[in-house]
Amino acid sequence: MNNINRRNFFKISAGAVIGMTVGGVSLRAFAAEPVKLDDPLAAAMKYTHKSEKADQKCANCSLAQGVDGDEWRPCAIFPGKLVASEGWCSAWVKKA
């Protein structure tokens, strides 16, 4: 094994940490896209971006994740996708 001096070790370590951080951020940004209405899972779940039921919205569903108040949020039903806070699907479950 080659001898790595301390300076090179820190350069390589810093580069690896920066690379993993930037890579992780770009993967999250890529994965977070809104659910398309023509998506087969969305069609099967009868997902819509605008709920027709006043008291049932993605914003008050227990399956919605992320921060309350965000217009688009992750959902456990649609992994890697975002749902509209005003949306609805047949898997809606009242938040406790």
Side-chain angles (χ1 to χ4, degrees):
M1 188 170 163
N2 293 339
N3 287 337
I4 298 177
N5 65 27
R6 186 174 156 166
R7 181 173 292 165
N8 285 338
F9 173 77
F10 284 119
K11 285 180 186 178
I12 292 169
S13 297
V17 168
I18 291 170
M20 289 187 296
T21 303
V22 171
V25 169
S26 65
L27 286 176
R28 281 193 300 267
F30 176 73
E33 62 182 38
V35 173
K36 293 181 177 21
L37 297 177
D38 61 351
D39 182 276
L41 180 58
M45 301 303 294
K46 301 177 184 168
Y47 173 78
T48 179
H49 292 309
K50 180 77 172 154
S51 177
E52 295 178 4
K53 302 176 184 205
D55 60 337
Q56 295 184 7
K57 297 179 182 180
C58 293
N60 63 3
C61 176
S62 64
L63 298 171
Q65 303 165 343
V67 179
D68 286 340
D70 284 353
E71 185 178 358
W72 293 90
R73 299 169 59 181
C75 176
I77 299 297
F78 304 101
K81 305 283 183 178
L82 300 174
V83 296
S85 290
E86 294 294 315
W88 180 88
C89 82
S90 60
W92 183 87
V93 179
K94 185 176 182 175
K95 188 183 280 188

